[in-house]
Amino acid sequence: MGNISDSNETGMAIVDNLPLGVLVLSSDFRVVYWNSLLEEWTSIQRHEIVGEPLARRFPHLSDPLYLERIAPVFDGGPSAVFSSQLHSFFIPVALPNGEKQIQHTTVTPLVCREVTYAMVSIQDVTDLTRLARNSRELHFKALQEIEERKRIEVQLRLSSSFFASTSEGIFVTDANGVILSVNPAFEQITGFSSVEAVGNTPRMLNSGKHDKAFYADIWRSIFQDGLWKGEIWDKRKNGEIYPQIMTISAIRDENGFIRQFAALLSDITERKMMEEELRYLSMRDGLTSLFNRRTFDEELENEWRRALRSPAPFSLIMIDIDFFKKFNDTYGHQNGDLCLRGVANVIASSARRPGDLTARYGGEEFAVILPNTPAVDAVSIAEHIRRDVEGLAYPHETSKAWGVVTVSVGVGTVFPERGKSQEDVVRLADTALYTAKKEGKNRVASHDESVKEHH
Amino acid sequence: MTIMRSELKDAIQEIINIGLGKAAAMLNKLLKNHILLEIPQVTIIPFSEVTREFGLMHLTPVSAVRLCFKGSINGVSSLVFPPDSASKLVDLLVGEENFSEDMDGIKIGTLSEVGNIILNSVMASFSNTLETRLIYTIPAYIEGDISAILRLEVERDALVISAKTRFTVESQEIEGEIFLLFELGSFDILSRAVDAAINS
């Protein structure tokens, strides 16, 4: 048995120099040869293992899975292959990195002087396996990338159909704010065509209605939160200024750098108009279109507060239609309403300065707030109203004195200061109105408290 | 000769069955799956008609492990899979993701070993019964046309013995064929085979 190594010096030298781990087994599974590469791999020297049963050092090899496949080789059967996939570690060899060498092992019959041995040649396929694994990973990654691209394409197709069909205007700019693309809704809202917009900056839409701080705030929240949403006034190509809700978001790349900005805009002109309309309606009296009582109370308070900051005589006119109940009884409610409207028109045209406010105070009672107006001017306005109402010449049979619709007017004037309130001026005007009624109607009475203290 | 032939067929059928039984047991362990084996079909036909034996299989590419043997009998044994079965088998054994189509090292290594286990077992049974010593090539993995796998250096009209067995890995829908093809050797060897079969 031992002479297998001596029998052919050249043959052994060849086997020793092969890049394969080679061992030879006798039919009793003892080692009869152990080449130098195996010595290197296992640190087991040839003289230490030759003559020993292989399974003493490598117990896993006594498993029938190995034995039953190697045994036929001694009877001249075909070679047995232990692939690196199913039996990776025939002779376990630890690598410096702590992993085990991956091996592909072939057991072939070796006939020497009519005795059959089994030659085990072990190929180190660690690198090959790693290469194969890497290339498979690359392949897998490439497949993943293709998948990802397909996904993005689908998304792009979806978003481009949204882009084209949505009623919201969209524009996309590069990191410098130069417009890259706009959608049809943008063209419709702004009046600028895609050709005109692309290459330009959104400053082309600047309405001039907002100051620098407003735009600085927008940029701050885009950089901080990645998003800004709010109401902004822009200018259409035709110069028209319009309100819109705008959402601007920063599109960052995978490294967090801003690559693009996308803005969504919806024209809210109509909504604004509706809001304005509703607000107007809520403040007005339905019949006369003068301000209603609630607005009168609010505005009187506001004007009073304003007047306190820059004191000047503050006047209030109270107007009441004379014998209005009788007018209604005689001519009916419909004519009563027409009469109220006519008087209201006269009152509305009497007070035209900003800050002046005309309101329907009660049933047939009206009021005019006149901030910064001395009594003499207020009385003059009041007199105009009285005269103009009489001039309407609405017939009123039951108004014995005049035969036409007339009004009594009370004017109150105070000097706004601490310790007084807007109620004082209401009280004064009320009292003056009472005086005018008592003194025969169709006249103006005035109570001026602004003079007593201040002149 | 007709009687001889039918006896020969029976003998060969049994020899192969014994070898396959052992191989199936080993594969069972390896796959942890039950393997079903059909009874081998044995025919004696001219070599030129062999491809027809494979029916539709000769129209599609196959994955195969091929082991040639020489000696008193010359022949080839082979384990043949349709490609998808080959991939499924590798997945089952190695637990890799499906990397199918290409001739991957993993596939080759794994199928070579599976083929080796089965074919060695069949051949051991074969040569033991015939009491003849055969010389084998190292098993080779081949992908392609079935005719490349059945290549044998004999005359086209020479009679050959063809034995094939279908096997399936239960529950995994993996199927394949084990194929043994060898030339009718001397009458001497054949009678020995028959004797062996009758005496066993």
Side-chain angles (χ1 to χ4, degrees):
Chain A
M1 215 199 296
N3 58 6
I4 187 168
S5 9
D6 317 326
S7 63
N8 190 336
E9 292 278 337
T10 321
M12 286 306 123
I14 291 171
V15 176
D16 256 352
N17 285 293
L18 283 176
L20 296 169
V22 178
L23 68 102
V24 178
L25 294 173
S26 54
S27 57
D28 56 359
F29 286 86
R30 282 173 191 275
V31 178
V32 297
Y33 179 74
W34 189 257
N35 84 341
S36 48
L37 193 57
L38 278 178
E39 289 184 328
E40 199 183 310
W41 283 353
T42 61
S43 301
I44 300 169
Q45 299 309 302
R46 189 176 299 166
H47 66 84
E48 294 174 307
I49 196 166
V50 166
E52 274 197 40
L54 185 61
R56 186 172 295 166
R57 298 267 190 169
F58 305 102
H60 66 282
L61 295 177
S62 59
D63 189 294
L65 270 177
Y66 289 94
L67 288 186
E68 283 177 19
R69 291 182 57 200
I70 296 171
V73 172
F74 295 108
D75 298 330
S79 307
V81 176
F82 297 93
S83 67
S84 59
Q85 287 74 37
L86 302 182
H87 300 91
S88 313
F89 319 112
F90 194 89
I91 298 288
V93 173
L95 295 173
N97 66 5
E99 287 177 13
K100 276 196 284 183
Q101 192 186 65
I102 298 170
Q103 301 167 339
H104 180 84
T105 306
T106 313
V107 184
T108 47
L110 183 69
V111 183
C112 185
R113 291 179 192 154
E114 297 188 5
V115 180
T116 305
Y117 297 91
M119 182 172 77
V120 180
S121 30
I122 303 165
Q123 194 185 348
D124 174 4
V125 294
T126 314
D127 288 342
L128 281 174
T129 308
R130 198 189 307 124
L131 283 174
R133 204 167 286 157
N134 287 349
S135 90
R136 216 168 37 254
E137 265 165 31
L138 278 176
H139 180 71
F140 181 66
K141 266 192 197 158
L143 283 179
Q144 266 187 327
E145 260 183 43
I146 291 170
E147 279 305 306
E148 176 68 9
R149 258 183 222 168
K150 277 188 195 157
R151 201 183 56 76
I152 289 171
E153 262 175 44
V154 169
Q155 220 169 29
L156 274 178
R157 261 203 303 280
L158 279 176
S159 53
S160 73
S161 77
F162 169 77
F163 192 73
S165 64
T166 178
S167 64
E168 291 194 90
I170 300 174
F171 65 88
V172 179
T173 76
D174 65 12
N176 298 317
V178 175
I179 296 174
L180 300 172
S181 61
V182 305
N183 73 339
F186 173 94
E187 296 179 313
Q188 208 160 27
I189 294 170
T190 66
F192 288 106
S193 72
S194 169
V195 177
E196 290 166 320
V198 170
N200 231 311
T201 73
R203 277 186 288 279
M204 69 196 284
L205 304 171
N206 196 324
S207 65
K209 237 187 129 139
H210 307 285
D211 56 8
K212 275 188 180 165
F214 178 82
Y215 292 106
D217 262 359
I218 294 180
W219 286 112
R220 197 173 310 126
S221 69
I222 292 173
F223 285 118
Q224 271 173 15
D225 317 324
L227 191 84
W228 178 82
K229 185 171 182 175
E231 247 180 67
I232 189 169
W233 288 79
D234 271 353
K235 193 171 69 183
R236 298 189 220 273
K237 191 184 177 187
N238 64 13
E240 187 189 339
I241 288 171
Y242 69 101
Q244 63 191 4
I245 295 275
M246 193 150 169
T247 309
I248 306 174
S249 41
I251 301 170
R252 291 171 194 271
D253 64 16
E254 65 275 19
N255 299 316
F257 293 111
I258 292 178
R259 288 282 176 239
Q260 291 180 339
F261 296 104
L264 235 72
L265 40 102
S266 44
D267 189 340
I268 54 168
T269 308
E270 276 183 39
R271 205 181 83 193
K272 276 273 162 194
M273 277 164 59
M274 296 250 295
E275 278 174 11
E276 197 53 46
E277 177 80 11
L278 281 172
R279 207 172 70 89
Y280 178 87
L281 288 173
S282 74
M283 291 171 74
R284 298 287 166 159
D285 169 55
L287 179 67
T288 63
S289 294
L290 295 183
F291 285 104
N292 57 24
R293 174 65 187 265
R294 187 176 54 77
T295 311
F296 169 84
D297 287 343
E298 283 169 12
E299 284 305 305
L300 181 65
E301 204 181 321
N302 290 340
E303 289 301 331
W304 182 261
R305 248 186 280 118
R306 218 166 283 150
L308 280 174
R309 286 196 293 272
S310 51
F314 190 105
S315 298
L316 178 71
I317 301 175
M318 297 287 268
I319 303 134
D320 187 87
I321 302 175
D322 297 326
F323 305 111
F324 186 67
K325 200 180 169 314
K326 282 185 179 163
F327 181 90
N328 259 345
D329 292 346
T330 313
Y331 300 99
H333 282 279
Q334 258 180 336
N335 286 316
D337 286 350
L338 287 173
C339 172
L340 284 170
R341 274 190 202 146
V343 173
N345 280 342
V346 169
I347 295 169
S349 53
S350 69
R352 291 210 189 87
R353 297 174 312 165
D356 292 356
L357 183 134
T358 52
R360 184 172 177 203
Y361 191 77
E364 71 270 24
E365 255 188 297
F366 301 89
V368 182
I369 302 172
L370 298 166
N372 199 8
T373 310
V376 56
D377 293 341
V379 168
S380 154
I381 292 170
E383 183 51 35
H384 262 108
I385 292 170
R386 188 207 59 78
R387 204 186 54 218
D388 288 351
V389 170
E390 193 180 355
L392 287 173
Y394 288 158
H396 191 345
E397 290 170 8
T398 46
S399 171
K400 300 202 174 64
W402 319 101
V404 292
V405 170
T406 58
V407 289
S408 297
V409 186
V411 180
T413 305
V414 295
F415 199 89
E417 57 192 342
R418 272 175 188 276
K420 286 198 177 134
S421 76
Q422 70 272 22
E423 321 243 316
D424 291 322
V425 75
V426 174
R427 185 181 41 78
L428 269 187
D430 226 18
T431 316
L433 177 60
Y434 179 74
T435 308
K437 291 267 185 200
K438 208 174 63 181
E439 289 177 355
K441 303 189 172 63
N442 192 21
R443 67 191 65 226
V444 175
S446 163
H447 284 306
D448 184 6
E449 283 189 358
S450 67
V451 196
K452 274 184 262 172
E453 295 104 15
H454 294 277
H455 288 283
Chain B
M1 195 64 189
T2 324
I3 296 160
M4 271 307 294
R5 276 195 188 179
S6 90
E7 283 175 335
L8 189 60
K9 278 199 229 172
D10 289 349
I12 296 203
Q13 199 173 52
E14 186 165 348
I15 291 166
I16 289 173
N17 226 16
I18 293 165
L20 280 178
K22 286 181 187 162
M26 245 183 269
L27 274 182
N28 260 342
K29 264 192 231 167
L30 212 56
L31 296 171
K32 298 177 184 76
N33 253 281
H34 191 59
I35 291 168
L36 295 174
L37 283 169
E38 280 176 17
I39 295 183
Q41 293 173 21
V42 179
T43 50
I44 299 173
I45 47 171
F47 180 63
S48 56
E49 285 174 24
V50 168
T51 16
R52 223 174 41 207
E53 279 288 289
F54 271 86
L56 282 178
M57 219 188 211
H58 80 271
L59 295 174
T60 51
V62 290
S63 305
V65 181
R66 184 172 188 268
L67 180 69
C68 295
F69 51 92
K70 276 187 176 142
S72 44
I73 297 175
N74 296 330
V76 58
S77 62
S78 184
L79 177 68
V80 184
F81 296 103
D84 58 327
S85 273
S87 296
K88 276 188 202 162
L89 182 64
V90 176
D91 288 353
L92 182 63
L93 281 167
V94 190
E96 292 278 343
E97 285 299 310
N98 202 335
F99 41 85
S100 60
E101 312 309 328
D102 38 335
M103 283 250 282
D104 195 308
I106 288 184
K107 190 166 158 183
I108 297 170
T110 311
L111 291 179
S112 296
E113 182 165 351
V114 171
N116 184 246
I117 292 169
I118 292 178
L119 299 178
N120 283 14
S121 186
V122 173
M123 291 317 294
S125 168
F126 190 66
S127 68
N128 283 347
T129 321
L130 296 185
E131 289 171 353
T132 182
R133 194 170 272 264
L134 299 169
I135 300 159
Y136 302 94
T137 58
I138 302 271
Y141 177 83
I142 301 178
E143 259 179 23
D145 199 88
I146 192 90
S147 56
I149 290 143
L150 302 174
R151 208 179 58 241
L152 196 60
E153 278 171 28
V154 294
E155 298 292 323
R156 277 179 51 80
D157 54 358
L159 283 179
V160 291
I161 297 180
S162 150
K164 63 173 188 172
T165 305
R166 212 178 159 69
F167 77 93
T168 47
V169 181
E170 229 182 12
S171 83
Q172 297 291 329
E173 295 174 342
I174 296 168
E175 54 178 28
E177 295 211 351
I178 297 155
F179 198 77
L180 186 60
L181 187 70
F182 55 97
E183 56 178 325
L184 269 171
S186 67
F187 187 76
D188 184 33
I189 291 164
L190 289 172
S191 26
R192 242 188 286 162
V194 176
D195 286 347
I198 290 166
N199 298 335
S200 61

